[in-house]
Amino acid sequence: MSNESHATMRERILVAARLELACVGPVMLSMRAIAREVGVTVGALYRYFADRDAVLTELIVEAYESIGAAARQGVEQGGTPGEQWMRGWSEVRAWALAHPQEFALVYGTPVIGYAAPERTIAAANQLFIALLSIFARADAAPAAEHPAPSLTAGLATDIAQARAWASAVIGDALDARFSDARILGFLRAWTELIGAIGFEMHGHYVGSLDHGDEFFAHIVAAHAKALDLDN
């Protein structure tokens, strides 16, 4: 079988897997259901993917890369750092609402028994890279202007690792302006905003908030201010 035919069949399998994911979610995704959708035997699928986890990995990588591309699309439209931040997160929310099962696959309940391989980490980092690029270009206050937070030894180690990683992927210019406080603020923003999207998608605002888009924009703007991106 030619490489082109092999690649074509892999894509057919992934198309079927995406359809199944939309119907049953990641936990119930099965090779049998995928095979039925493709119109082949279960055994035939194993010529292209070692097991269900291999299919899940492809779907996870696709989802992470897609959400990273959405953020990058918003950021790269230009404008002030605050505007880039607002648009980047707006695109992330829009992507999540349009791809609820893919969002749940990467930011929802972990699939029992699935161990994500190393290649999913690089894909997951695409969202961070898109958002961190705003700081690399922004005329933000230098690190010295941010009061140093009180950190436990473990958290200080985590912050140092985060700074080293960010400087490696974005550039050394980021290191000078990314204080401990700003790193903590960025991580808090990521946690709260992804969480807010999840709350909205899973109906946790029903009866409390009728305008999720406006509430989300309010949170995004608050973090932009805290991170010195609104000037």
Side-chain angles (χ1 to χ4, degrees), residues 21 24-29 52 109-112:
L21 182 69
V24 303
V27 175
M28 299 300 294
L29 189 69
R52 186 205 65 161
T109 303
V111 178
I112 296 175

Side-chain angles (χ1 to χ4, degrees), residues 64-65 67-72 75 88-89 92 103 107 121-133 165 186 190 194:
Y64 274 135
E65 290 181 343
I67 199 169
R72 190 163 56 251
V75 169
W89 277 109
V92 168
F103 181 85
Y107 289 118
I121 296 176
N125 286 341
Q126 295 308 304
L127 174 59
F128 288 102
I129 292 171
L131 296 170
L132 285 171
S133 69
W165 175 83
F186 180 89
W190 167 66
I194 291 295

Side-chain angles (χ1 to χ4, degrees), residues 9-220:
M9 182 51 119
R10 278 179 60 91
E11 182 53 34
R12 285 185 59 199
I13 293 169
L14 290 175
V15 168
R18 294 183 200 110
L19 291 174
E20 282 298 309
L21 182 69
C23 292
V24 303
V27 175
M28 299 300 294
L29 189 69
S30 71
M31 294 294 270
R32 186 175 299 279
I34 295 171
R36 185 168 56 248
E37 182 69 32
V38 176
V40 298
T41 66
V42 175
L45 294 186
Y46 293 106
R47 301 174 191 167
Y48 306 94
F49 293 94
D51 50 27
R52 186 205 65 161
D53 284 3
V55 176
L56 274 175
T57 294
E58 292 301 321
L59 297 178
I60 289 169
V61 168
E62 284 183 354
Y64 274 135
E65 290 181 343
S66 185
I67 199 169
R72 190 163 56 251
Q73 178 180 344
V75 169
E76 291 179 351
Q77 291 179 39
T80 67
E83 289 169 343
Q84 293 174 45
W85 176 263
M86 294 291 291
R87 279 198 304 267
W89 277 109
S90 178
E91 291 291 342
V92 168
R93 176 179 174 273
W95 181 92
L97 294 177
H99 304 85
Q101 290 294 353
E102 288 88 343
F103 181 85
L105 178 62
V106 295
Y107 289 118
T109 303
V111 178
I112 296 175
Y114 173 77
E118 186 75 18
R119 64 184 291 245
T120 62
I121 296 176
N125 286 341
Q126 295 308 304
L127 174 59
F128 288 102
I129 292 171
L131 296 170
L132 285 171
S133 69
I134 299 172
F135 292 88
R137 296 189 297 268
D139 185 20
E145 294 186 17
H146 289 259
S150 178
L151 301 176
T152 62
L155 191 54
T157 299
D158 290 340
I159 294 299
Q161 290 176 343
R163 179 183 292 104
W165 175 83
S167 296
V169 297
I170 301 297
D172 291 339
L174 187 62
D175 183 65
R177 67 184 62 185
F178 229 43
S179 64
D180 288 353
R182 188 172 280 137
I183 293 175
L184 284 171
F186 180 89
L187 292 173
R188 179 179 175 182
W190 167 66
T191 304
E192 291 184 4
L193 291 168
I194 291 295
I197 293 171
F199 253 57
E200 181 179 6
M201 292 179 61
H202 296 135
H204 296 305
Y205 289 143
V206 174
S208 301
L209 287 168
D210 294 325
H211 302 88
D213 55 340
E214 296 177 19
F215 181 61
F216 185 76
H218 172 79
I219 302 173
V220 176

